[in-house]
Amino acid sequence: FFYVRQQRPDSRERTLTMDPAVFYHRLGTPQAKDVAVFTTPAGTTDITVTIQSGGDGRYLFISEGNGAHVESIGWLLSRMHVLDLGNAMGPALATPLIALSDSRDAAYRVVGMDSGIVYLFTDRQAPRRRLVAVDLQRPAPEHWRNVIVESADPIDSVQRIGQRWLVSYVHNVQHALRAFSLDGRLEREITMHAMRSLKVQPGRNNDEVLIDSMGWTTSPERTRFNLTTGAAMVEHRGTTLDFDVEQVWYPSKDGVQIPMY
């Protein structure tokens, strides 16, 4: 397995950890023989390193990031590297790393992979975020293909559910859900109650998702939604407080209408 290891700094340092690095460990061997596959310069204290695997263990994705962290997309100033291990059971650790960008310039999160194509959720050249397909045989950004383009509504998260992408948007400070085919065609808008935040997870099969919603005056509610038929079944109904909430708009100095509750 692969893991991220950090050094414990001297007690005089004003940081908890430093020098993050990625190591490979084979079960049954001493840790002293672990192999470093990615290192940072000595004294590094401002970078967080994370790893993901893909392609049935063939690829290792290493992200070095800093700046603000957003749960769904990761560190906002990141650079992602790809290590082609060849065979997961006998990985080629000396294979050169492939960097998907020249510097820590954007956020990158791997959300899927098919036959050497990696799908990245990113805000590179798209401040409201997009989903791109990267062919690992031609990984330079000029060869990336848009799957779900940036729109007026910022993308909050992207999940692969079977043969679909389920995308959560933020529209006027409210969550909206849309289902897309794997090639990026819009298949369905999922309408939920207004003024509620949404959290989505896979259901019992590739056609279903569980949608947890909660509002300003409503306790958590769970709905089972079928992406193919559009059928929705409330599994747990929340309670509602007898309290009025409305969305209003306030004009900023430059004329932009700001939504408020």
Side-chain angles (χ1 to χ4, degrees):
F1 60 88
F2 294 87
Y3 64 97
V4 177
R5 187 168 81 190
Q6 303 186 84
Q7 299 296 323
R8 188 179 299 278
D10 185 272
S11 59
R12 294 168 295 181
E13 296 282 349
R14 296 173 60 89
T15 184
L16 291 174
T17 57
M18 63 193 307
D19 302 347
V22 179
F23 283 81
Y24 169 73
H25 175 79
R26 179 173 285 278
L27 293 176
T29 64
Q31 189 175 358
K33 291 188 176 181
D34 289 357
V35 178
V37 298
F38 177 83
T39 59
T40 53
T44 296
T45 61
D46 64 337
I47 296 176
T48 297
V49 173
T50 58
I51 55 178
Q52 293 178 263
S53 63
D56 293 328
R58 174 177 173 176
Y59 297 97
L60 181 71
F61 301 97
I62 302 173
S63 178
E64 47 167 325
N66 60 7
H69 183 272
V70 180
E71 181 179 354
S72 63
I73 201 170
W75 294 94
L76 297 182
L77 295 174
S78 295
R79 173 167 52 187
M80 179 162 285
H81 307 265
V82 183
L83 178 61
D84 186 349
L85 301 170
N87 180 358
M89 300 307 295
L93 302 178
T95 304
L97 286 169
I98 302 170
L100 299 186
S101 60
D102 294 331
S103 62
R104 296 195 299 276
D105 60 353
Y108 303 95
R109 172 66 60 86
V110 176
V111 293
M113 189 165 189
D114 280 320
S115 303
I117 304 295
V118 59
Y119 294 94
L120 289 181
F121 177 35
T122 182
D123 62 358
R124 180 187 171 96
Q125 297 179 342
R128 291 187 295 275
R129 306 177 182 175
R130 59 179 174 150
L131 178 68
V132 298
V134 180
D135 185 342
L136 293 181
Q137 298 301 313
R138 300 195 306 164
E142 58 265 27
H143 301 305
W144 295 3
R145 173 173 58 84
N146 277 325
V147 179
I148 298 174
V149 299
E150 180 186 31
S151 70
D153 295 330
I155 297 177
D156 183 57
S157 65
V158 178
Q159 294 184 65
R160 180 165 177 175
I161 307 292
Q163 297 301 304
R164 296 180 177 89
W165 300 111
L166 190 62
V167 182
S168 173
Y169 289 84
V170 178
H171 177 71
N172 294 337
V173 206
Q174 298 185 44
H175 279 132
L177 294 175
R178 298 167 192 161
F180 294 84
S181 64
L182 291 186
D183 60 3
R185 290 179 292 104
L186 178 63
E187 290 188 346
R188 186 177 295 278
E189 298 256 6
I190 301 174
T191 302
M192 300 293 294
H193 296 288
M195 294 189 290
R196 291 193 186 184
S197 61
L198 305 178
K199 185 176 181 180
V200 183
Q201 58 183 308
R204 293 173 296 196
N205 55 58
N206 288 335
D207 290 326
E208 279 191 349
V209 291
L210 298 176
I211 304 174
D212 293 327
S213 64
M214 185 171 64
W216 297 105
T217 60
T218 55
S219 64
E221 180 170 290
R222 170 164 289 185
T223 302
R224 186 176 296 275
F225 189 90
N226 189 298
L227 295 172
T228 299
T229 65
M233 180 180 69
V234 177
E235 291 196 334
H236 173 76
R237 192 172 299 281
T239 58
T240 301
L241 295 176
D242 185 15
F243 195 87
D244 290 333
V245 178
E246 64 175 327
Q247 189 174 48
V248 297
W249 300 86
Y250 181 83
S252 66
K253 288 184 178 180
D254 61 1
V256 172
Q257 295 292 313
I258 301 173
M260 300 171 59
Y261 291 105

